Amino acid sequence: MAAPITIRPAVSADRSVVADLAVDNEMFAPDELDDFLAAFDGALAGENEGHQWFVAVDDARPLAAAYVAPEPFADRVWNLHFLAVDPAQHGTGLGTRLIAHVEQLLRAMGEEVARVLIIETSSTDQYAPTRTFYAARGFDEEARIRDYYGPGDGKVVFWKSLLEH
């Protein structure tokens, strides 16, 4: 029988697994991880107020991770900057559980702290399943910015109110 999945705040020992999730899901190449891991380290060190990493674990082994942070120049808007699930666990509900956890956490902070959650992703065909995933979880496609990440690779912004339950 498989161990139950729990969601907990990430700890420094999760760093290499979180990096592996980013690479295994082809979000970053190994040589592109410096800024990504700096965000992980900074959030765990408390360098940026509100920045939080979570992991979904099975027997203390992280299988998925999420990173959420407030938008610094927006009114109570939060951004889910990262969500990745071990490719062997795709389709098991771990991504959905992490998003639900983040939404519940933000709603519990109250509408004076959090009112909107946004998610940004790529417009490339590789990310079509990702866009479908977010839409199926109640996020509206709000904007597209052409060539944002590079030629032919636009940014797609998804939006969801945290005030609606």
Side-chain angles (χ1 to χ4, degrees):
M1 181 174 172
I5 302 295
T6 58
I7 297 174
R8 63 165 171 76
V11 296
S12 58
D14 298 326
R15 186 179 198 264
S16 64
V17 174
V18 169
D20 289 344
L21 287 169
V23 172
D24 293 347
N25 281 283
E26 300 178 359
M27 300 166 92
F28 295 99
D31 64 345
E32 298 174 329
L33 289 173
D34 289 347
D35 290 340
F36 175 77
L37 290 173
F40 181 85
D41 295 337
L44 268 58
E47 294 173 4
N48 297 308
E49 185 176 348
H51 291 229
Q52 299 175 63
W53 281 88
F54 298 96
V55 291
V57 298
D58 173 5
D59 284 335
R61 181 176 61 100
L63 300 172
Y67 171 43
V68 64
E71 285 293 319
F73 303 111
D75 177 28
R76 299 170 288 152
V77 175
W78 289 71
N79 194 326
L80 185 66
H81 289 290
F82 180 80
L83 178 70
V85 175
D86 179 331
Q89 300 293 320
H90 285 183
T92 65
L94 287 177
T96 299
R97 286 186 59 187
L98 274 170
I99 287 177
H101 179 83
V102 166
E103 289 180 25
Q104 180 181 32
L105 173 85
L106 294 174
R107 284 186 173 114
M109 290 180 181
E111 66 182 68
E112 62 279 353
V113 175
R115 73 181 174 84
V116 170
L117 179 60
I118 61 172
I119 302 172
E120 302 167 3
T121 191
S122 171
S123 66
T124 62
D125 290 346
Q126 173 187 343
Y127 285 90
T130 302
R131 295 188 303 274
T132 300
F133 173 83
Y134 292 135
R137 271 119 202 108
F139 287 84
D140 295 324
E141 183 179 317
E142 190 67 17
R144 285 183 178 247
I145 303 170
R146 290 175 288 202
D147 299 329
Y148 184 86
Y149 298 110
D153 188 0
K155 178 180 3 183
V156 181
V157 180
F158 286 87
W159 177 98
K160 187 177 202 179
S161 174
L162 295 168
L163 304 180
E164 303 165 4
H165 291 60

